[in-house]
Amino acid sequence: MDSTRHRFAILRPRRSLGTVFAVSFACVTAATTLLGGFLSYNAAARMVRVDQDDVFRGVVSDLHQQVAQHRLSPSDYFSVGPDRDSPRDDLSRRIRTDVQVLGRAGRIEEHGYPALQVRALDRAAAAHAKAGHTIYYKAQIQGERYRVATVALGGGRGAVQVAQQYSDTEDLLRQLKARTVELSAIVIVVAGLAGWWLARRIAGRLVRLTRVAEYVARTGRLDTEVPVAGQDEVGRLGRAFDGMLGRLAASEEIQRRLIQDAGHELRTPLTSLQANAALLDRIDRLPPQAKADLIADMKSETRELVNLVNELVELAAGDRDAERPTEVALGALAEDAAALARRRTGREILVAEDGTVVRVRASAVQRALSNLLENAAKFDQDGTEPIEVAITGTRVEVRDRGPGIAEADLPRVFDRFYRADSARSLPGSGLGLAIVHAVAVTHGGNAFAGNRPGGGAVTGFTLDPASRVERPPARPTADSATTPR
């Protein structure tokens, strides 16, 4: 099924974004132009036809009033000289109206120009007794179309026919329709060309981004240059993609360094364990003290190896920790970490806190506090003064009275696997403070280290001020914070 779907996907023709954009732009423009042209033509044609029909009916209404108000005869509508007006002149003055006069029985008393046909209905109107009786119809005369109205004079005296030619108007409307179609076609072609040009300008950058993405996917080269021109969405996409590649490259570099450093750090305990394991074949022949030293050394190296692997796992988890943020008092986390450190080191630890409540990943913050306390206890081996934990807002400090930190080591104390010269003889992997830094950065803060006036060191971290919560939460239970290793 999957192979068939893949084969169909390969056979399906590929359409570029530029082509899709140009065709879509042309189709939308075509639909809009055709609809606008159709509606405009219909409105104009209706207006012209209604106007002509209104004028014609107005002439017929005037004729109706003439015959209804006066007892007129067919001769009253004969043509007269230019020196005087007649009722016929009133009819033909408003529009180009053809007037034809019918006498009794529908005989033509005076022809119109052109002559109008006399139908049975016209003869019936001429013989009608009521003045103003009117019939309407359309007729074709000499190849032209006319509106015709026949108005009875009454008393069977005859009727007057008036006709208005409208075929020339329809010819004009047909020409208008043809011109509208031609103009719409031109607009559609221009729209298609404009869409193609716009597609090249807009989709061109997307095409370049696509090529870069395909190149990166094919080669794995994260240092590829990304086009980021423009301030629109395409430019923002390019900048976001460039930033993503930069972060991936940085992450890959960090991963490479982590693997190299981890390999270097793992080599020492593994080499020692390998050497000690070679002596196990003849452990029975070793003196009791050498045997005890061998076993103690193997236990120590195994413990160091386990701690190193655990810290590597914690550090690798980093930002991908699945724990959800919860509201918790920083002082409660500090008390839990201090209680654990007291059991492990036997040191006196004092906690001073201001009741700050934050929304954080509780176990991660507690792990960072435990690492700081264990680091302080490791270097302050004298133990004459207590280790202090001070919490002010979202700032956490751990203070000791040990030898302090050399100025040359301060910039690197949070680097992975970094160990100062004075700490190389002490247990540890150099990852404890790196975990503190990772936890702080994950929570929108940072880690810091310095020396105390009067001797000793101050290490700690800050959290994002926005994580502070004003209302007090319930004290976390054992399920909300795991015990740090």
Side-chain angles (χ1 to χ4, degrees):
M1 181 66 180
D2 293 339
S3 61
T4 303
R5 184 167 52 198
H6 179 67
R7 184 170 65 253
F8 286 165
I10 293 176
L11 295 177
R12 188 165 52 240
R14 296 178 59 185
R15 290 192 295 265
S16 68
L17 183 61
T19 302
V20 173
F21 186 84
V23 172
S24 301
F25 190 83
C27 290
V28 171
T29 305
T32 305
T33 303
L34 292 176
L35 180 61
F38 174 77
L39 295 177
S40 300
Y41 169 77
N42 275 357
R46 187 181 302 109
M47 185 180 299
V48 171
R49 288 168 178 154
V50 169
D51 182 67
Q52 283 199 338
D53 189 64
D54 288 344
V55 172
F56 178 70
R57 289 185 178 274
V59 171
V60 175
S61 177
D62 291 343
L63 175 59
H64 185 276
Q65 291 179 1
Q66 289 176 2
V67 301
Q69 294 175 0
H70 307 285
R71 186 177 178 83
L72 300 176
S73 64
S75 60
D76 292 326
Y77 287 94
F78 290 169
S79 300
V80 297
D83 55 339
R84 56 189 287 269
D85 292 335
S86 70
R88 183 190 185 105
D89 296 326
D90 295 336
L91 299 179
S92 59
R93 187 176 293 125
R94 293 176 59 184
I95 58 172
R96 294 179 299 168
T97 304
D98 189 8
V99 180
Q100 182 168 282
V101 183
L102 302 179
R104 293 180 180 276
R107 296 189 306 273
I108 299 177
E109 300 290 338
E110 183 171 313
H111 289 280
Y113 299 96
L116 303 178
Q117 296 177 353
V118 180
R119 303 182 180 184
L121 290 175
D122 299 320
R123 288 190 287 270
H128 205 281
K130 182 181 178 180
H133 175 71
T134 307
I135 61 171
Y136 291 92
Y137 61 90
K138 293 182 179 180
Q140 188 166 353
I141 304 171
Q142 297 181 2
E144 302 292 342
R145 285 172 289 179
Y146 285 80
R147 295 184 183 91
V148 181
T150 303
V151 181
L153 296 176
R157 293 188 301 274
V160 177
Q161 288 182 295
V162 293
Q164 179 194 49
Q165 181 184 351
Y166 68 91
S167 56
D168 56 346
T169 303
E170 293 299 322
D171 293 339
L172 178 63
L173 291 177
R174 280 195 298 271
Q175 293 179 5
L176 177 62
K177 181 189 292 185
R179 291 292 180 87
T180 302
V181 172
E182 292 175 1
L183 181 60
S184 299
I186 293 174
V187 171
I188 293 171
V189 172
V190 172
L193 294 176
W196 176 79
W197 180 77
L198 285 175
R200 284 182 58 87
R201 287 185 59 86
I202 296 174
R205 289 181 292 159
L206 287 176
V207 171
R208 289 192 292 272
L209 279 176
T210 303
R211 290 173 181 169
V212 170
E214 291 174 344
Y215 176 77
V216 172
R218 185 174 64 254
T219 63
R221 293 286 303 274
L222 299 178
D223 57 345
T224 305
E225 183 178 357
V226 180
V228 294
Q231 298 298 323
D232 55 2
E233 286 76 5
V234 179
R236 290 167 54 193
L237 176 62
R239 283 187 289 274
F241 185 61
D242 186 55
M244 181 185 69
L245 288 183
R247 293 191 64 179
L248 286 175
S251 177
E252 186 180 65
E253 176 62 20
I254 292 173
Q255 184 181 25
R256 185 186 63 80
R257 289 177 52 196
L258 176 62
I259 294 174
Q260 290 179 346
D261 294 341
H264 176 75
E265 293 295 327
L266 288 170
R267 190 176 295 114
T268 299
L270 287 175
T271 301
S272 178
L273 285 174
Q274 185 179 23
N276 291 332
L279 298 175
L280 291 178
D281 292 337
R282 47 192 181 89
I283 190 173
D284 294 336
R285 297 193 295 272
L286 295 177
Q289 184 60 42
K291 185 186 301 184
D293 292 342
L294 174 63
I295 295 175
D297 188 52
M298 291 188 69
K299 288 181 178 180
S300 176
E301 294 297 341
T302 302
R303 186 167 51 254
E304 286 294 322
L305 186 60
V306 170
N307 291 336
L308 179 59
V309 171
N310 288 338
E311 290 181 339
L312 280 172
V313 171
E314 292 177 2
L315 192 61
D319 298 341
R320 295 179 294 276
D321 197 328
E323 181 188 5
R324 294 182 176 275
T326 57
E327 294 181 7
V328 63
L330 270 179
L333 293 179
E335 289 287 357
D336 292 342
L340 182 62
R342 292 187 191 103
R343 291 196 302 269
R344 288 179 174 177
T345 65
R347 296 291 303 275
E348 180 183 3
I349 301 175
L350 303 178
V351 178
E353 49 97 7
D354 60 359
T356 298
V357 177
V358 291
R359 184 174 182 80
V360 295
R361 292 183 352 222
S363 63
V365 174
Q366 186 176 335
R367 182 164 60 244
L369 281 162
S370 296
N371 287 354
L372 289 174
L373 290 172
E374 291 181 3
N375 187 75
K378 180 172 65 175
F379 285 96
D380 185 8
Q381 297 182 352
D382 185 21
T384 56
E385 294 191 29
I387 298 173
E388 301 174 3
V389 180
I391 298 176
T392 306
T394 56
R395 181 182 177 89
V396 179
E397 293 184 357
V398 174
R399 306 165 183 164
D400 63 65
R401 286 298 183 184
I405 305 174
E407 293 296 329
D409 296 330
L410 282 175
R412 301 191 59 193
V413 292
F414 294 104
D415 291 351
R416 296 172 179 176
F417 299 108
Y418 179 75
R419 302 183 71 184
D421 293 337
S422 59
R424 297 198 179 275
S425 60
L426 299 175
S429 62
L431 289 176
L433 293 183
I435 293 174
V436 173
H437 180 265
V439 171
V441 171
T442 301
H443 287 82
N446 208 345
F448 58 85
N451 290 309
R452 295 181 68 184
V458 179
T459 55
F461 59 89
T462 60
L463 302 173
D464 185 359
S467 64
R468 185 168 183 172
V469 181
E470 297 302 327
R471 61 184 179 83
R475 182 180 177 85
T477 61
D479 293 336
S480 66
T482 59
T483 302
R485 290 189 290 270

